[in-house]
Amino acid sequence: MALNLLELVTAGISRENTGKMAALLGEETATVTGSLGAVAASILSGLMNKASATGGAQEIVSRIAAGEFKGDLLNNFGSLLAGGRQTETLLKTGGELVSFLFGSKSADLGKVIASSTGLAKGSSSSLLGMMAPFVMAVLGKQVTSDNLDSEGLTSLLNSQKSAVQRAAPAGLPGVLGLLSLSQLGGAPPTVPIGIPGNIASFAKGLWPFLLGIAALAMLMKTCGQPPVKETPPPAAAVAPDTTAAASDTSTAAPDSAAVAADSLGAFGEYELPNGVKLNIPEFGIERKLIAFIEDATKPADKETWFSFDRLVFDTGKATLKPESQEQIGNINEILKAFSAVSLKFGGYTDNVGDPQANLRLSKDRAEAVMTEIVKLGIDKARLDAEGYGAEHPVADNATEEGRQKNRRVDCRVTKK
């Protein structure tokens, strides 16, 4: 059986140690348990991405060889979670490691994990700090036992791609600067030997431009295709701290609750318990909602919201555009398959315009989504909707990108 580092990490953390982490974070043990896979996958993705960069694999091997990340940490992990100076040292080491892997995007990673897992943003960053040394120690143990050099390390990490892609949180590609996680372990085209240095430098500088051209070509290719493969432009998959979202009255950009296509991953068939098959993206709201519903350790609560990622409204209105119907239909099918589940939809706007108008618009949009699902046959008694206006922004309203992220519709499970 092929080695699975992700399984080694999650299986290696005992229930007792998970409880200790939960106590330190002030979170429910079940929430932390359900977050371990996403956190570990994120760290492994960072290691894979780092190893693919020039000299990156050797840097990782050097850190392991220095003796900081080996079996001793695995054996003593519980004592490092007892609080006090040892825990402070663990968090400091973990923070440095996260910074080594993700640089200035470390804070963004914390938000992405919070969005995916239901953890508070501060908790997700702290859990990253606790988990990063453990993940590195699991990797270090394997590197040491197999006497792997930088090439062997890279090969080992790249063999984990499939497992990591399945467990990684939505939005991770953007943190890593990738179009999708399928690029993990890859490298930009190399300049052939013998090309003069000035041409090589030009080619290296041209690579980001070529990536942009490729992404534009992919977007153009989707035009005219059935909506099953289509995702409208904008924002990132970051959920609000406590509430949900919609759109405002500004006219500078389309009003949507869509995320970048690269954040959604590949579309694929998913069969619901009642036999209905959906064509849904690997990191879209549908899969996250289904996973939450099926996870017996995660009760319905008021904090766990899931952002719609393919809804588009007419600007300044609560009228859903036709391309939104695919995702509306998917949520309808999920509710039919899980007949005990009830949902609440929440609308959210940016802070542009009149606050009362924004509040009304956010409420109207949440209700518009609910109404469309009722039309498809779901009992209205199972649904609720509320508008929150410009409360609880998830991004900076000073930028258009931030305002676009703050305009969306979310839902949460109120009964399961």
Side-chain angles (χ1 to χ4, degrees):
M1 180 181 289
L3 179 69
N4 188 321
L5 291 175
L6 189 58
E7 284 187 0
L8 289 178
V9 170
T10 54
I13 297 181
S14 67
R15 182 178 300 179
E16 179 184 0
N17 286 338
T18 303
K20 289 181 179 180
M21 288 190 286
L24 288 168
L25 297 172
E27 298 277 357
E28 294 292 329
T29 300
T31 304
V32 174
T33 300
S35 304
L36 295 181
V39 173
S42 298
I43 297 166
L44 285 170
S45 296
L47 286 163
M48 293 169 69
N49 199 44
K50 174 66 74 172
S52 69
T54 303
Q58 187 55 54
E59 284 187 80
I60 296 172
V61 170
S62 297
R63 283 176 177 252
I64 292 171
E68 192 173 4
F69 303 107
K70 290 187 177 179
D72 287 348
L73 188 147
L74 300 178
N75 297 331
N76 300 326
F77 190 59
S79 64
L80 301 178
L81 301 172
R85 182 170 298 178
Q86 285 185 303
T87 302
E88 290 177 5
T89 301
L90 174 69
L91 288 169
K92 180 181 178 182
T93 300
E96 291 172 350
L97 182 55
V98 171
S99 180
F100 164 67
L101 296 176
F102 298 96
S104 62
K105 294 289 187 177
S106 299
D108 291 339
L109 176 61
K111 294 177 183 177
V112 164
I113 290 175
S115 168
S116 175
T117 62
L119 289 169
K121 290 178 184 176
S123 297
S124 63
S125 296
S126 296
L127 187 58
L128 274 166
M130 295 176 191
M131 287 284 292
F134 190 89
V135 174
M136 190 73 156
V138 169
L139 177 63
K141 183 177 180 180
Q142 198 64 38
V143 168
T144 303
S145 63
D146 292 348
N147 195 28
L148 299 179
D149 57 11
S150 59
E151 184 176 346
L153 168 74
T154 301
S155 178
L156 171 61
L157 287 171
N158 287 345
S159 70
Q160 310 300 306
K161 182 183 290 188
S162 295
V164 166
Q165 283 182 293
R166 287 193 296 269
L172 184 58
V175 174
L176 295 170
L178 304 175
L179 291 176
S180 74
L181 291 183
S182 62
Q183 292 182 307
L184 274 174
T190 55
V191 179
I193 296 175
I195 291 182
N198 59 336
I199 299 179
S201 298
F202 172 76
K204 182 177 180 181
L206 189 62
W207 170 243
F209 173 74
L210 294 176
L211 269 181
I213 293 295
L216 179 60
M218 290 176 65
L219 180 62
M220 292 176 67
K221 184 177 179 182
T222 63
C223 294
Q225 297 292 323
V228 71
K229 293 289 184 182
E230 185 176 336
T231 35
V238 180
D241 288 340
T242 58
T243 57
S247 194
D248 76 336
T249 56
S250 63
T251 57
D255 284 351
S256 74
V259 300
D262 57 279
S263 299
L264 295 175
F267 279 73
E269 186 177 274
Y270 187 97
E271 184 172 349
L272 293 169
N274 60 357
V276 172
K277 295 179 180 179
L278 303 179
N279 186 33
I280 53 179
E282 55 187 329
F283 305 126
I285 183 178
E286 295 95 334
R287 289 185 189 267
K288 289 188 282 187
L289 185 59
I290 293 167
F292 182 85
I293 292 170
E294 292 185 327
D295 190 341
T297 68
K298 293 184 177 180
D301 58 39
K302 294 184 178 181
E303 287 75 43
T304 307
W305 290 86
F306 301 94
S307 298
F308 281 88
D309 42 60
R310 297 191 308 288
L311 296 186
V312 184
F313 292 89
D314 286 338
T315 301
K317 299 179 181 179
T319 308
L320 282 159
K321 292 191 173 184
E323 54 263 46
S324 305
Q325 292 305 314
E326 180 200 3
Q327 189 155 76
I328 293 287
N330 289 341
I331 299 301
N332 167 64
E333 293 296 346
I334 291 170
L335 285 167
K336 287 181 178 178
F338 299 96
S339 58
V341 168
S342 295
L343 295 179
K344 179 173 182 177
F345 303 101
Y348 209 84
T349 71
D350 62 27
N351 66 351
V352 176
D354 178 64
Q356 290 303 313
N358 282 340
L359 184 61
R360 287 193 300 272
L361 179 60
S362 68
K363 182 176 184 293
D364 290 345
R365 288 188 166 178
E367 291 181 344
V369 174
M370 180 177 69
T371 299
E372 289 300 311
I373 292 177
V374 170
K375 287 180 183 178
L376 295 175
I378 299 300
D379 186 348
K380 189 176 180 181
R382 297 173 59 190
L383 306 174
D384 190 15
E386 186 173 355
Y388 300 95
E391 293 180 35
H392 310 292
V394 297
D396 188 355
N397 276 313
T399 68
E400 174 52 37
E401 180 183 5
R403 291 190 294 273
Q404 202 164 36
K405 290 178 180 179
N406 289 332
R407 303 192 298 262
R408 62 193 186 283
V409 170
D410 288 4
C411 74
R412 67 176 175 88
V413 176
T414 58
K415 181 181 177 183
K416 60 186 289 193

